[in-house]
């Protein structure tokens, strides 16, 4: 394919998936004026192609995307300059699609589209190369950020070592379920007796009185059976407990130390493990942090997604909450899903509390699945994820 015309779409993936699959010599993007004035879109698309190892010439043209007659005339000029055109009609405005149809009727140009529902390309006209062609791309979490000019940074977790802790994640969450009523207090207690850095053996040592200052001026007492079970599952060792006097132990390592000092980590790790266990994804990231305005000299803006996974060209965004599901959290998740993943993206919110009817209704309006305490405790999170990603039917 020599020249591919892309009708610019606000969903980043619509602008890159066709060029990546069919690898034309040149891609011409028909864009609204504001996109060209900004310049970021051109930089993002070119940077994404370079990151993916694609040597594709790109050209961006200012187009009146709501004026069919002007779009048609522009397509004619592009054809005169570049010869036979292939047009991707997967994205774009209604006016752009109408103009593309008129141009194809006039010139017998090639046209194809992409169906997200079936994950296949289809021949619209003279594009037999795209006839019922499955899309076999496998984008990583980082790829989805790169499409929109973001950069994946290291978050609170080093994902390169998480495979070493998979055997801890389910027992850790089972412990949470058993001690949910006192979980926050026990995490606060551990925080109080493990102040300072976490480097070296001294940093991994925790010691203090059995009663510590809690939050909001209260007191928190060490629960021996809770700590003993932490030792049994291998997260701490050398536990010493003298009732009403003192407690001491060693954290397994600095990564475990950080998890035991953070109330929400247990749910994030459990959902990460559920994604792995689902067998659905080609990439899963815990604590996915994305930076914007990278390299511009401006103060970077960042977002964090508790768990993000990708299956081919479909991303899943999971927000984990150790509290009731609130409208603000749902709205934030919906914005992230639309910005990074577009129309085909999936999102879920996992909560360690029961989810009320109002929150479920709002989540449904935004296309967000809810995984609440009951499903988590019944160990059905992996199955639920399979249903969300439509690889398993609802029973």
């Amino acid at each position: 394919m020599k020249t591919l015309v892309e009708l610019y779409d606000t969903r980043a993936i619509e602008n890159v998936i066709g060029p990546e699959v069919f690898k034309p010599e040149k891609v011409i993007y028909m864009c609204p004026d504001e996109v060209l004035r900004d310049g970021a879109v051109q930089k993002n698309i070119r940077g994404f192609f370079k990151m993916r190892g694609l040597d594709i010439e790109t050209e961006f043209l200012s187009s009146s995307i709501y004026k069919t007659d002007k779009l048609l005339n522009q397509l004619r000029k592009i054809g005169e300059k570049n010869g036979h055109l292939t047009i991707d009609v997967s994205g774009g405005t209604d006016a752009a699609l109408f103009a593309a149809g008129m141009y194809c009727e006039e010139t017998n140009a090639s046209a194809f589209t992409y169906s997200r529902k079936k994950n296949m390309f289809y021949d619209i006209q003279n594009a037999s190369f795209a006839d019922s062609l499955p899309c076999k791309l496998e984008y990583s979490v980082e790829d989805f950020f790169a499409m929109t000019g973001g950069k994946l940074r290291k978050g609170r977790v080093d994902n390169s070592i998480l495979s070493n802790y998979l055997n801890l994640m389910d027992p850790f969450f089972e412990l949470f379920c058993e001690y949910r009523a006192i979980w926050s207090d026990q995490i606060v207690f551990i925080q109080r007796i493990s102040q300072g850095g976490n480097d070296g053996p001294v940093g991994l040592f925790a010691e203090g009185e059995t009663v510590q200052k809690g939050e909001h001026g209260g007191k928190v007492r060490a629960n021996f059976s809770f700590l003993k079970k932490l030792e049994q599952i291998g997260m701490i060792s050398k536990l010493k407990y003298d009732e009403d006097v003192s407690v001491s132990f060693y954290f397994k390592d600095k990564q475990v130390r950080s998890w035991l000092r953070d109330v929400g980590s247990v749910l994030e790790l459990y959902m990460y493990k559920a994604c792995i266990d689902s067998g659905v994804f080609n990439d899963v990231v815990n604590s996915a942090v994305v930076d914007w305005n990278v390299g511009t000299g401006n103060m970077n803006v960042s977002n964090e997604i508790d768990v993000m996974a990708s299956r081919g060209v479909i991303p899943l965004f999971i927000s984990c909450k150790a509290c009731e599901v609130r409208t603000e959290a749902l709205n934030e998740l919906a914005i992230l899903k639309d910005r990074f993943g577009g129309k085909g993206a999936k999102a879920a919110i996992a909560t360690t509390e029961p989810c009320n009817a109002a929150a479920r209704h709002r989540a449904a309006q935004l296309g967000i699945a809810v995984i609440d305490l009951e499903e988590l405790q019944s160990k059905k999170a992996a199955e639920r994820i399979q249903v969300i990603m439509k690889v398993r039917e609802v029973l």
Side-chain angles (χ1 to χ4, degrees), residues 98-263:
F98 191 52
M102 294 174 67
Y103 179 77
C104 288
E105 179 69 20
E106 279 185 10
T107 64
N108 213 30
S110 302
F112 67 85
T113 190
Y114 170 71
S115 167
R116 275 193 167 276
K117 186 175 182 180
K118 295 186 177 180
N119 195 32
M120 298 180 75
F121 291 90
Y122 290 95
D123 174 11
I124 300 297
Q125 175 175 286
N126 295 330
S128 57
F129 54 83
D131 190 21
S132 300
L133 178 70
C135 178
K136 297 181 180 180
L137 293 175
E138 289 192 344
Y139 286 137
S140 67
V141 169
E142 184 175 16
D143 289 333
F144 284 103
F145 292 147
M147 290 177 196
T148 46
K151 178 69 175 178
L152 182 64
R153 301 296 191 192
K154 182 179 177 180
R156 292 173 287 105
V157 178
D158 181 357
N159 279 263
S160 67
I161 64 171
L162 277 184
S163 61
N164 299 328
Y165 297 91
L166 291 176
N167 65 327
L168 280 179
M169 294 178 187
D170 286 343
F172 190 30
F173 188 75
E174 289 171 7
L175 188 63
F176 164 80
C177 291
E178 183 177 353
Y179 291 92
R180 187 169 72 91
I182 63 169
W183 187 263
S184 294
D185 283 347
Q186 293 307 298
I187 296 301
V188 169
F189 178 83
I190 291 173
Q191 291 171 355
R192 295 289 187 264
I193 66 169
S194 59
Q195 303 291 334
N198 63 354
D199 293 327
V202 175
L204 297 179
F205 182 61
E207 183 180 33
E209 296 178 359
T210 54
V211 178
Q212 295 286 325
K213 181 180 178 181
E215 296 182 326
H216 312 298
K219 299 287 185 180
V220 290
R221 174 182 289 274
N223 184 293
F224 176 69
S225 71
F226 168 76
L227 294 172
K228 188 64 180 176
K229 289 188 178 181
L230 277 180
E231 184 176 43
Q232 288 172 356
I233 66 175
M235 298 189 80
I236 65 173
S237 62
K238 299 180 181 179
L239 172 64
K240 294 182 180 179
Y241 181 87
D242 188 348
E243 189 172 2
D244 296 327
V245 181
S246 65
V247 176
S248 67
F249 58 81
Y250 285 87
F251 294 101
K252 174 182 173 64
D253 55 35
K254 64 180 181 180
Q255 185 61 73
V256 169
R257 180 184 189 273
S258 70
W259 289 333
L260 289 177
R261 289 172 48 83
D262 179 11
V263 170

Side-chain angles (χ1 to χ4, degrees), residues 173 270-271 274 277-278 370-388 392 395:
F173 188 75
Y270 184 69
M271 292 309 300
D277 290 346
S278 72
V370 176
I371 304 174
D372 69 1
L373 178 63
E374 183 179 351
E375 288 177 300
L376 293 171
Q377 289 179 322
S378 61
K379 301 180 181 180
K380 292 182 178 179
E383 294 178 13
R384 188 78 166 87
I385 287 169
Q386 291 173 340
V387 172
I388 293 168
R392 182 188 180 100
L395 299 178

Side-chain angles (χ1 to χ4, degrees), residues 277-288:
D277 290 346
S278 72
V280 168
F281 304 102
N282 54 276
D283 191 22
V284 184
V285 174
N286 180 210
S287 182

